[in-house]
Amino acid sequence: MKASRQQSIIQLLSDCDGLTTDALAEQLAVSKETIRRDLKGLQQQGKIVRHHGRARAIHPDNRDGGEPFGARLKSHYADKVDIAHRALDWVSSGMTLALDASSTCFHLARQLPDIDLTVFTNSLPICHEMAKRERITLICTGGTLDRKYRCYVNPALISLLKGVEIDLFIFSCEGVDEQGDMWDPAEHSALFKTQLLRRASQSLLLIDKSKFQRASEVKIGSLSQVTQMITDAHPSRR
């Protein structure tokens, strides 16, 4: 019964861009609590993604199911600002930082002091923010601008990184599943993070509580590759 119902959920979600919990409960004639349990199970299996009361199926052949940067910037705003503030303890003068195009890293960039730093990033908003700091050296990946995620996509990223020594890579991700694997919705975003995890001397994952027990389209790597994680999640939720 449960397996059949979950298969029906996958089919319903595959036929559209997403459905609310209420809509799924109505179509399958079960309670919202039952649907929530099913959605949690399907999310842990990496078959769906949930956002703000809605669920959508993960399609392996459609690797661009993430939310636009503007929407992510508003989501869990206070939590992300606080997590970013705590990351400042890892930053000191003379370092070379790499920042991804996540909204949490943008919140961090806004709080960075104007000290002797080098910042390497693929994020357009972070580039704009760093341009205001006179003492920070900015290195942008360049490339083609992805307007949805407000980041640059550069096929020559690996070659570019050969000339940059990264002391600390600070990043976020779409989700971390029960096995401790990190996920993102877009291929180019996951590739950027995979490469920086390999190149940086240390890495710092900034992740709010909504991202745990979630998968997405493209695997980045494992939590075992991360030096430290900063989160607002209770230990039992990790």
Side-chain angles (χ1 to χ4, degrees):
M1 182 70 175
K2 177 181 177 181
S4 175
R5 188 175 61 247
Q6 290 188 350
Q7 186 57 45
S8 296
I9 290 173
I10 292 294
Q11 186 60 54
L12 287 169
L13 295 178
S14 297
D15 293 338
C16 60
D17 292 332
L19 289 169
T20 65
T21 302
D22 290 348
L24 286 167
E26 182 178 348
Q27 292 196 47
L28 296 175
V30 295
S31 69
K32 288 185 287 185
E33 289 72 21
T34 297
I35 290 296
R36 290 192 184 101
R37 287 195 296 269
D38 284 339
L39 292 177
K40 181 179 179 181
L42 289 169
Q43 182 165 271
Q44 291 172 355
Q45 296 169 41
K47 295 181 178 180
I48 69 162
V49 173
R50 291 189 290 174
H51 288 295
H52 313 305
R54 294 182 65 84
R56 65 172 177 81
I58 291 177
H59 301 289
D61 58 342
N62 178 22
R63 300 197 163 192
D64 191 15
E67 290 186 310
F69 178 81
R72 289 185 285 115
L73 195 60
K74 299 174 184 176
S75 175
H76 298 273
Y77 181 91
D79 295 332
K80 292 177 180 178
V81 170
D82 180 65
I83 289 169
H85 182 73
R86 290 160 58 190
L88 291 175
D89 291 339
W90 283 69
V91 178
S92 58
S93 181
M95 294 180 70
T96 296
L97 308 178
L99 304 180
D100 76 347
S102 64
S103 56
T104 308
C105 274
F106 175 67
H107 290 305
L108 171 63
R110 297 184 69 179
Q111 300 180 55
L112 280 177
D114 191 6
I115 60 176
D116 180 23
L117 291 172
T118 297
V119 173
F120 177 89
T121 187
N122 63 336
S123 165
L124 176 61
I126 291 177
C127 285
H128 287 166
E129 195 64 31
M130 293 301 94
K132 303 174 186 177
R133 313 291 204 280
E134 294 186 357
R135 298 180 63 186
I136 292 180
T137 299
L138 171 64
I139 303 176
C140 177
T141 63
T144 303
L145 179 64
D146 183 319
R147 286 181 171 81
K148 177 178 180 180
Y149 297 111
R150 298 189 70 185
C151 70
Y152 292 104
V153 182
N154 190 343
L157 175 64
I158 297 176
S159 297
L160 181 61
L161 281 171
K162 289 179 179 178
V164 184
E165 295 294 330
I166 305 297
D167 296 310
L168 178 64
F169 174 41
I170 307 178
F171 71 108
S172 188
C173 63
E174 177 77 6
V176 175
D177 65 22
E178 286 193 324
Q179 286 70 47
D181 291 328
M182 301 176 291
W183 298 83
D184 253 11
E187 186 80 42
H188 60 73
S189 176
L191 177 62
F192 179 85
K193 297 172 189 184
T194 298
Q195 292 298 326
L196 266 298
L197 277 172
R198 292 173 180 168
R199 291 281 306 180
S201 298
Q202 292 186 301
S203 54
L204 188 61
L205 174 63
L206 312 183
I207 182 168
D208 69 79
K209 56 183 174 289
S210 71
K211 304 291 184 66
F212 288 95
Q213 296 187 346
R214 280 172 56 174
S216 192
E217 280 82 353
V218 191
K219 182 179 174 180
I220 298 167
S222 170
L223 283 180
S224 62
Q225 299 173 260
V226 177
T227 306
Q228 183 66 46
M229 177 171 60
I230 298 179
T231 181
D232 60 338
H234 188 275
S236 65
R237 290 202 60 189
R238 300 181 192 177

